Amino acid sequence: LLDPGAPLLWSNRGIVRTEMGGPNLEGAVEDLSHALALDPRLAAARWNRAIAGGRRGDWVAARDDLDVLVRDAPEEARYRWQRAQVRTRLRRWDEALNDLTVLERLMPDRHEVLALRARGEMEGQRWAAAAPWMERAIVLVPAADARDFPDYH
């Protein structure tokens, strides 16, 4: 039995359940929510609740947690990267582009960021804006990853 007043214990059990996936995700969200009720500043719990929410397909809940994380740590690239991906799932391309603009500064050599930026421009039918982002991404993509480069059609 977990100590009901120990947020790190609840958070850690939630993290384990998140990593186990599948039917454990609902329990993970409950554990992580309990940890956050005890300590709303516990970033690891909020991050893993966002991940668990995304794995459950609850993109709105994932985005809400990521919004808090980005607000509290705006230069943390993994929070912005995950939020940009969640925003694309929600088809909020302009919001995703805002995150990707910051990520391009934080992670300028990541082809994934540049390719997602190109996709956002493509979704807005801004073909001329998409072209240089895709060109830069293609130059940066490692040869081993080229066969797995995303198809955006």
Side-chain angles (χ1 to χ4, degrees):
L1 205 56
L2 289 178
D3 177 353
L8 285 176
L9 292 175
W10 290 98
S11 178
N12 287 339
R13 187 169 82 170
I15 291 168
V16 168
R17 286 179 162 180
T18 299
E19 291 306 314
M20 290 171 57
N24 298 292
L25 290 173
E26 186 173 335
V29 170
E30 290 171 8
D31 288 345
L32 295 162
S33 295
H34 189 76
L36 288 165
L38 295 170
D39 184 356
R41 296 167 295 133
L42 196 56
R46 191 166 305 280
W47 167 254
N48 282 282
R49 190 171 72 174
I51 298 301
R55 289 181 184 170
R56 293 176 63 208
D58 189 349
W59 304 113
V60 172
R63 184 212 46 216
D64 291 347
D65 278 331
L66 291 162
D67 284 346
V68 172
L69 290 165
V70 169
R71 181 197 69 210
D72 293 347
E75 299 295 306
E76 181 63 49
R78 70 181 172 144
Y79 299 158
R80 282 198 183 268
W81 173 243
Q82 194 67 32
R83 188 172 72 172
Q85 292 181 80
V86 166
R87 285 174 162 179
T88 65
R89 294 283 188 158
L90 293 169
R91 307 208 50 81
R92 305 297 298 250
W93 290 101
D94 287 339
E95 292 173 12
L97 286 173
N98 291 336
D99 280 328
L100 292 164
T101 298
V102 174
L103 281 167
E104 200 244 332
R105 178 179 51 80
L106 296 174
M107 304 165 51
D109 296 327
R110 294 300 302 261
H111 68 275
E112 300 94 335
V113 170
L114 302 174
L116 192 57
R117 174 73 189 252
R119 181 177 178 199
E121 299 293 0
M122 291 163 63
E123 288 292 326
Q125 296 187 3
R126 294 181 292 267
W127 308 110
W133 294 108
M134 190 56 70
E135 291 300 322
R136 286 182 55 205
I138 288 169
V139 169
L140 291 173
V141 69
D145 292 344
R147 66 181 170 276
D148 298 321
F149 205 71
D151 178 9
Y152 293 125
H153 282 90

